[in-house]
Amino acid sequence: MEIAVLGTGSVGRTVSARLDELGHTVTIGTRDPEATLTRADHPQLPLATYADAAARAELVVLAVSGEVALDVLALAGADNLAGKALVDISNPLDFSAGFPPTLLVKDTDSLGEQIQRAFPEARVVKTLNTLTASLMVHPETLGSSSTVFVSGDDPSAKGMVTGLLAAMGHDDVIDLGGIETARGTEMLMPVWLRLMQALGTGEFNFKIVR
Amino acid sequence: MEIAVLGTGSVGRTVSARLDELGHTVTIGTRDPEATLTRADHPQLPLATYADAAARAELVVLAVSGEVALDVLALAGADNLAGKALVDISNPLDFSAGFPPTLLVKDTDSLGEQIQRAFPEARVVKTLNTLTASLMVHPETLGSSSTVFVSGDDPSAKGMVTGLLAAMGHDDVIDLGGIETARGTEMLMPVWLRLMQALGTGEFNFKIVR
């Protein structure tokens, strides 16, 4: 599948490399491809502007920080996102008061919903925002099954994303329901951050035991 | 140990019965003991006012709804709570706009912190607010290890509570840190509620796989 991964940070690099390894044709979207290429840690995959990457993709992965998510999608362009599955991995973290961050939106709304409202023709699926990048793409390294979640209003987009998650190694994907349920997974961040502090590592994940 | 359980709802009844079974001397605190006794489902254990129950206890369990938590503790009396471990199981749920509820406090504060601030001489330990009553006291019924959390500023109170949790069957208790970390576990409620809807049961729990 032709996939655009928007974002060149840890999540973007990790997810794009794994999707490439799984045989997909990946283009990485970045604000300024030439500037990105000058960085020592620039991605090895093809780079394009957000708009060009999204235009050629069948599925778009949003892997930027939550505070710029809506701006990056505006640069990608509503027309280039229309009708496509839009995988939202971002978390609305507010680091302005230090660590641990608080949330820019919560409880009565979520970033996933804001994105769906801003881009009504995109088929937004919130997922993978509840674990560290390395485990997003290789959950089996934990040695025991753990859970990821999908939230979204479009069943076929969720089905497509669930297939990608399975290919990455996820053996327990829970469909929470519509995009409104992104409130639940985004609000996992506060305990995730405190667990990271208590355990001294981000290499853990939630399993829903039932 | 002499334990007061404040609250006669599902959590109060379930936890008090289990503590009694484990050999503790339990008194149930309620607003009006005579009125409680007229109810068909009244507890079988000794009843007292919140204040009388707290006065005679070494450890106090708060098992009421979050919206009345501070009022109930005021009725119990700061003097009767001073120096004691205060186990806070409550969640700050706001049902005023229907289901799923939102949170009365979150992100930059928590009910656990509000309680600690209001009763500075109590040794507050937030725990067990992340799973359904039956699993609080018999987690082994899930058939697989799952996790509960403790948050509190007093290490010896957390140690005492962790011992009670172990006696109830909890084999994975994570100490998140100070009472500030109650923000994390209280903010698990939104995903817990949506999981209950998606799974069709409240009989599940989080396991931190690491």
Side-chain angles (χ1 to χ4, degrees), chain A residues 106-107 180 194 207 209, chain B residues 106-107 180 194 205 207:
Chain A
K106 61 241 165 193
D107 205 22
E180 179 270 350
R194 287 162 180 85
K207 170 71 182 181
V209 180
Chain B
K106 61 243 166 192
D107 205 21
E180 180 269 351
R194 287 162 179 83
N205 192 24
K207 170 70 181 181

Side-chain angles (χ1 to χ4, degrees), chain A residues 83-123:
Chain A
K84 297 177 183 174
L86 174 56
V87 180
D88 169 26
I89 310 185
S90 62
N91 274 307
L93 298 178
D94 179 357
F95 287 91
S96 62
F99 194 91
T102 54
L103 298 181
L104 295 163
V105 56
K106 61 241 165 193
D107 205 22
T108 55
D109 198 6
S110 63
L111 184 54
E113 290 165 273
Q114 289 180 336
I115 290 170
Q116 183 64 81
R117 286 198 303 272
F119 300 92
E121 292 186 77
R123 300 185 293 149

Side-chain angles (χ1 to χ4, degrees), chain A residues 16-38:
Chain A
S16 58
R18 180 73 163 129
L19 290 169
D20 174 69
E21 179 183 277
L22 291 170
H24 298 287
T25 303
V26 179
T27 303
I28 297 182
T30 186
R31 198 173 295 264
D32 180 342
E34 291 202 20
T36 298
L37 277 171
T38 65

Side-chain angles (χ1 to χ4, degrees), chain A residues 102-103 106-108 145 174-176 180-181 184 187-188 190-191 194-195 198 204-210, chain B residues 102-103 106-108 145 175-176 180-181 184 187-188 190-191 194-195 198 204-210:
Chain A
T102 54
L103 298 181
K106 61 241 165 193
D107 205 22
T108 55
S145 172
I174 295 181
D175 182 351
L176 288 172
E180 179 270 350
T181 62
M187 288 173 83
L188 280 171
V191 80
R194 287 162 180 85
L195 280 163
F204 63 87
N205 192 23
F206 302 97
K207 170 71 182 181
I208 304 304
V209 180
R210 73 273 194 197
Chain B
T102 54
L103 297 181
K106 61 243 166 192
D107 205 21
T108 56
S145 171
D175 182 351
L176 288 172
E180 180 269 351
T181 62
M187 289 174 83
L188 279 171
V191 79
R194 287 162 179 83
L195 279 164
F204 63 87
N205 192 24
F206 302 97
K207 170 70 181 181
I208 305 304
V209 181
R210 71 274 193 196

Side-chain angles (χ1 to χ4, degrees), chain B residues 69-132:
Chain B
L70 288 164
D71 291 341
V72 164
L73 291 173
L75 290 171
D79 288 352
N80 293 326
L81 301 171
K84 298 177 183 175
L86 174 57
V87 181
D88 170 25
I89 310 184
S90 61
N91 274 307
L93 299 179
D94 179 357
F95 286 92
S96 63
F99 194 91
T102 54
L103 297 181
L104 295 163
V105 55
K106 61 243 166 192
D107 205 21
T108 56
D109 197 6
S110 63
L111 184 54
E113 290 165 274
Q114 291 181 335
I115 291 171
Q116 184 65 82
R117 286 199 302 274
F119 300 93
E121 293 186 78
R123 302 184 292 149
V124 179
V125 180
K126 185 102 203 182
T127 192
L128 289 183
N129 61 309
T130 56
L131 70 175
T132 200

Side-chain angles (χ1 to χ4, degrees), chain A residues 139-189:
Chain A
E140 75 284 357
T141 58
L142 282 175
S144 180
S145 172
S146 62
T147 305
V148 288
F149 310 94
V150 291
S151 301
D153 294 338
D154 187 295
S156 72
K158 281 195 287 194
M160 185 189 302
V161 172
T162 299
L164 284 177
L165 293 172
M168 288 179 175
H170 290 285
D171 63 5
D172 185 29
V173 182
I174 295 181
D175 182 351
L176 288 172
I179 192 65
E180 179 270 350
T181 62
R183 297 178 197 180
T185 56
E186 292 178 10
M187 288 173 83
L188 280 171
M189 276 303 98

